[in-house]
Amino acid sequence: MIDRDYMQEALRLAANARGRTSPNPLVGAVIVKEGRVIAEGWHRQAGTPHAEIHALNMAGELAKGATLYVTLEPCSHFGRTPPCADAIVQAGVKRVVAAMSDPNSKVAGRGFQILKDAGIEVEVGVLEEEARKLNEVFIKWVTTDKPFVTLKTAMSLDGKIATATGQSRWITSETSRQRVHELRDINDAIMVGIETVLKDNPLLTTRISAGKSPIRIVVDSNARTPLASNIVTNHQAKTIIAVTENAPIDRVNALKQSGIEIVFAGDGERVDLNVLMNKLAKHDITSILLEGGGTLNFGMLEAGLIDKVCAFIAPKIIGGRSALTPVEGTGFENLIDAINIEDISIEKIDDDILITGYIINER
C-alpha cells in the first residue's frame, strides 16, 4: 500500500464519528510498520482521547520507528486533553504523514514544528481535499466564528413546499424523510422561523435508532412562540429562541421560566442573523441544519450565511400562484445577483431526487 491508501483508511475511520465530536474536528489515525497496519484509532467525542492517542495506545512499544498517518495536524496545545504532538514524540514515531494542517490558530503549524524539532519526518497534503471536505464544518467554525449552515428543503418538481391551502405532508417519500433525520443527527442544531412553529408545531427531533436530537433554534423576533408548543413542552432537545432587544419582556420571561434559552440578536424589527450566527458559534454550535420557511431561507441567503444546500425534489406538480416556495422574501431583481451553487451531486432516493451543492458566497 502507498501513503494515499493508508490516508484513505484514516479518513474512513474519522468519518465513524460524524456528528459526534463537535466542537472538535473529525480525525482518524493509522500506524504502519514494516508495510503493515499495527494500530488505528479515531476521535470519538470532545473531551475524550484524540485519534493519535487511541492509535498509539493500541500500538504500544511497536510505535517506535513506525509511520503515523493522521487526517489533521496533531494538536500542540492543552485543551480538553494533553497535546498529541508530545505523545507522538515520546512514542518514538519515525515519520508522520498528515492530510492537512490545522486551521485552528492555537495549532496552525505548531504541531508539525514540535515533530520536526524532535527529528521526525513530516509530510503534509496527502488527500488534503478529501480531508478538508470531511472537516468542512470545523474549518468554517474555527476560521470565521460562525456555524456551517446547510439549507434543507423538500419541494415538488415545480418548486412548491406546500399547496395553496398549506398542505405539505408529505411531498417527498418516506425514504427521503428518513435521510432528513440522518442530516439532523449529524448537525449540532436545527433552525426554523417562528411561522413554522405557529403553522406546524413541529417537534424538530431526530427519529432514528441511536440518533441524537440537535439543539432547536427558533428565529422569533417578538417572542411569539406559544408556551404550549412542542419545542417548549418537549424536552428531548434543548431549545434556543432568538429574539430582538425589543421583544416584549413578559413573553421573554415566560419562555425563560419554561426552560427556554433566549438569545438577543439585534435591536431592530427583525433578528440580526449575522449577530445570531456569531452568538451561536460562541455556544460551540458548529453546524446548523436550516429547515426554515421561505422568508428565513431568503434572509440567510441574502446575508451570505448558508454554505451548503440539500434540495429534495419529488416528482409531483402542485401548482398554485399562492403556493409556498422554498425561498421567498423580496428575491433578487437581477439574474446576475442570483445565488450560484457549485460542486453539485445528484442522488436518486426512491422516486425523489436529492441535489446537494455548495453556495458560492460572493456577497
Side-chain angles (χ1 to χ4, degrees):
M1 296 177 74
I2 58 175
D3 287 349
R4 291 175 61 88
D5 296 319
Y6 292 125
M7 188 62 73
Q8 191 66 60
E9 174 64 9
L11 289 167
R12 185 192 67 79
L13 291 167
N16 284 333
R18 195 183 297 274
R20 299 297 183 269
T21 63
S22 180
N24 289 355
L26 294 163
V27 184
V30 173
I31 298 178
V32 177
K33 192 170 186 179
E34 297 175 354
R36 67 183 184 91
V37 174
I38 60 170
E40 59 186 26
W42 66 92
H43 184 43
R44 289 165 169 78
Q45 185 178 354
T48 66
H50 291 184
E52 302 95 313
I53 303 304
H54 281 296
L56 289 171
N57 288 342
M58 181 183 291
E61 292 296 322
L62 291 176
K64 188 173 183 179
T67 296
L68 168 67
Y69 294 86
V70 63
T71 58
L72 187 69
E73 176 181 359
C75 64
S76 58
H77 64 290
F78 279 90
R80 293 181 173 90
T81 58
C84 291
D86 291 344
I88 294 168
V89 171
Q90 292 167 8
V93 170
K94 180 180 179 181
R95 178 175 177 245
V96 172
V97 180
M100 60 176 286
S101 59
D102 194 329
N104 188 343
S105 60
K106 293 179 180 179
V107 183
R110 296 183 184 89
F112 291 144
Q113 194 59 53
I114 290 172
L115 301 178
K116 292 175 182 177
D117 289 346
I120 296 174
E121 179 186 347
V122 176
E123 182 176 346
V124 185
V126 177
L127 297 186
E128 180 174 358
E129 183 177 344
E130 290 86 344
R132 294 184 72 84
K133 180 65 70 68
L134 178 72
N135 271 313
E136 60 190 10
V137 166
F138 175 73
I139 293 170
K140 169 72 183 295
W141 176 73
V142 82
T143 59
T144 69
D145 293 323
K146 285 185 172 69
F148 185 97
V149 180
T150 300
L151 168 61
K152 187 275 321 180
T153 187
M155 60 184 140
S156 63
L157 193 60
D158 56 337
K160 308 295 186 181
I161 61 173
T163 67
T165 60
Q167 294 182 33
S168 61
R169 296 183 179 179
W170 296 105
I171 291 176
T172 54
S173 69
E174 183 177 349
T175 307
S176 290
R177 299 196 298 275
Q178 179 72 8
R179 178 66 67 85
V180 172
H181 285 290
E182 292 170 6
L183 289 173
R184 290 181 178 182
D185 176 60
I186 63 173
N187 278 273
D188 292 343
I190 177 173
M191 187 165 80
V192 299
I194 179 59
E195 294 301 329
T196 296
V197 173
L198 295 176
K199 290 177 181 176
D200 300 336
N201 191 23
L203 281 169
L204 301 181
T205 53
T206 301
R207 293 182 285 281
I208 58 175
S209 177
K212 69 172 179 63
S213 289
I215 295 169
R216 298 173 292 205
I217 301 167
V218 181
V219 179
D220 180 10
S221 301
N222 293 305
R224 293 189 292 150
T225 300
L227 298 182
S229 61
N230 283 327
I231 61 164
V232 175
T233 61
N234 176 277
H235 302 295
Q236 287 180 257
K238 175 181 177 180
T239 298
I240 295 174
I241 295 181
V243 302
T244 71
E245 299 286 351
N246 300 318
I249 193 63
D250 57 332
R251 295 182 195 167
V252 169
N253 287 336
L255 287 167
K256 285 182 177 179
Q257 290 168 9
S258 297
I260 301 302
E261 181 174 346
I262 300 294
V263 172
F264 292 94
D267 56 4
E269 293 183 4
R270 294 182 178 277
V271 165
D272 186 318
L273 295 173
N274 273 290
V275 171
L276 175 60
M277 291 300 107
N278 285 131
K279 288 194 172 185
L280 294 175
K282 287 180 171 59
H283 280 69
D284 281 351
I285 293 176
T286 66
S287 60
I288 294 174
L289 184 66
L290 175 61
E291 294 194 41
T295 300
L296 178 58
N297 291 348
F298 177 72
M300 289 287 286
L301 283 167
E302 188 179 35
L305 296 171
I306 296 178
D307 302 282
K308 189 175 183 177
V309 174
C310 290
F312 294 84
I313 303 174
K316 294 181 173 74
I317 295 176
I318 293 175
R321 183 173 299 171
S322 60
L324 298 177
T325 62
V327 181
E328 295 178 345
T330 58
F332 300 107
E333 292 184 2
N334 302 307
L335 278 177
I336 194 171
D337 297 321
I339 302 292
N340 290 306
I341 300 174
E342 62 183 356
D343 194 13
I344 299 293
S345 64
I346 300 174
E347 179 183 353
K348 193 170 184 294
I349 303 177
D350 289 344
D351 289 333
D352 298 338
I353 293 173
L354 169 59
I355 299 178
T356 302
Y358 292 82
I359 297 287
I360 303 176
N361 274 317
E362 298 176 342
R363 18 186 57 78

